[in-house]
Amino acid sequence: MAESNTDRMADEKGDQRQPRASLTEESTKWKRLFEKHRYQSKMNKIDYEEKIRVLKEQLKECEEFGDAEYDLTQMSKKIFNSVTIAEFNRLRKLIANDQIDLILSGRKNILALQKMASALTYGVIPITNPQRVALSKREKDLVKKIENATVEETKRHLRKNVSVFKRLFTTVEDSLKLVTKTFLKYGIA
């Protein structure tokens, strides 16, 4: 009986099998899938938290103003104080002519950019699905930074991210063209 225990121990020590290659590959595949799921969950959580924050702000305003004065909520203010077509066209021409310094030197231009960022956040300026998919994380972050920043902070963010800003503005312009084209063709936006 002692002999069989010794044999068993020798087998356990000497039998150091390597895992089959298919198990290792499958394990790696599951790890990748898990990491992808964890990343997507993290991104969803960030997105949901932002939506919850906006809804809480709107609910707070509703409670503060009551139902009778709910007309002038933050959303209404964003609509009324949105960037005008003239401001948008002025910015578009400056960007097309690569005159970023002129944008950064004028307080009116910076304020117009901040209004545009705010309007993008609240959906006053529509971003269609093809353009929304094309927006990078850096572009979305830039919009969030510009929206509530001071004029000087906005200038600093734009100087650091000129190429991101240009891509963002092109995306917004393409989205507005698509919405206008759809409206003119079908009468709906």
Side-chain angles (χ1 to χ4, degrees):
M1 184 146 174
E3 198 170 296
S4 62
N5 282 341
T6 308
D7 290 339
R8 201 175 322 154
M9 289 175 65
D11 283 343
E12 288 174 5
K13 288 181 183 178
D15 188 20
Q16 296 179 357
R17 297 183 201 169
Q18 295 296 321
R20 292 189 319 231
S22 62
L23 288 177
T24 305
E25 291 171 7
E26 190 171 330
S27 172
T28 304
K29 181 179 103 176
W30 282 106
K31 285 179 183 177
R32 284 189 202 131
L33 186 62
F34 175 75
E35 290 300 320
K36 182 179 176 182
H37 175 71
R38 186 183 334 179
Y39 174 77
Q40 187 62 42
S41 296
K42 182 180 176 183
M43 297 312 293
N44 286 342
K45 181 181 178 187
I46 292 169
D47 186 40
Y48 296 149
E49 287 173 347
E50 178 64 22
K51 289 177 181 176
I52 289 170
R53 183 189 65 78
V54 170
L55 289 173
K56 283 182 179 178
E57 285 176 8
Q58 290 175 348
L59 182 61
K60 182 180 172 187
E61 289 173 3
C62 182
E63 291 170 352
E64 285 177 6
F65 295 118
D67 292 336
E69 295 185 28
Y70 188 66
D71 296 10
L72 295 175
T73 62
Q74 195 69 17
M75 177 66 115
S76 299
K77 292 175 188 174
K78 298 302 177 194
I79 291 171
F80 292 123
N81 296 325
S82 186
V83 64
T84 65
I85 293 172
E87 290 171 326
F88 186 83
N89 283 332
R90 183 179 66 240
L91 292 171
R92 183 180 53 78
K93 287 176 186 175
L94 290 172
I95 291 169
N97 294 329
D98 206 25
Q99 296 175 326
I100 302 298
D101 291 335
L102 284 176
I103 293 173
L104 297 176
S105 66
R107 183 175 173 80
K108 285 174 51 176
N109 294 331
I110 297 295
L111 294 175
L113 284 173
Q114 288 179 319
K115 288 192 282 185
M116 187 181 83
S118 185
L120 285 169
T121 301
Y122 279 87
V124 175
I125 296 177
I127 299 293
T128 57
N129 277 340
Q131 282 76 25
R132 182 172 287 129
V133 171
L135 284 177
S136 69
K137 182 177 180 350
R138 290 182 66 199
E139 291 167 343
K140 291 176 185 177
D141 289 344
L142 184 61
V143 169
K144 289 178 184 176
K145 288 176 184 176
I146 290 173
E147 179 185 10
N148 295 317
T150 65
V151 172
E152 292 304 315
E153 289 172 340
T154 301
K155 288 179 183 180
R156 190 175 68 245
H157 290 307
L158 291 176
R159 279 192 187 102
K160 286 182 183 178
N161 302 296
V162 172
S163 62
V164 174
F165 169 64
K166 286 181 178 179
R167 280 194 319 265
L168 172 67
F169 200 86
T170 302
T171 302
V172 171
E173 187 177 17
D174 291 345
S175 185
L176 289 174
K177 285 179 184 176
L178 183 60
V179 168
T180 304
K181 185 178 176 181
T182 304
F183 181 77
L184 293 174
K185 187 172 182 178
Y186 300 107
I188 58 172

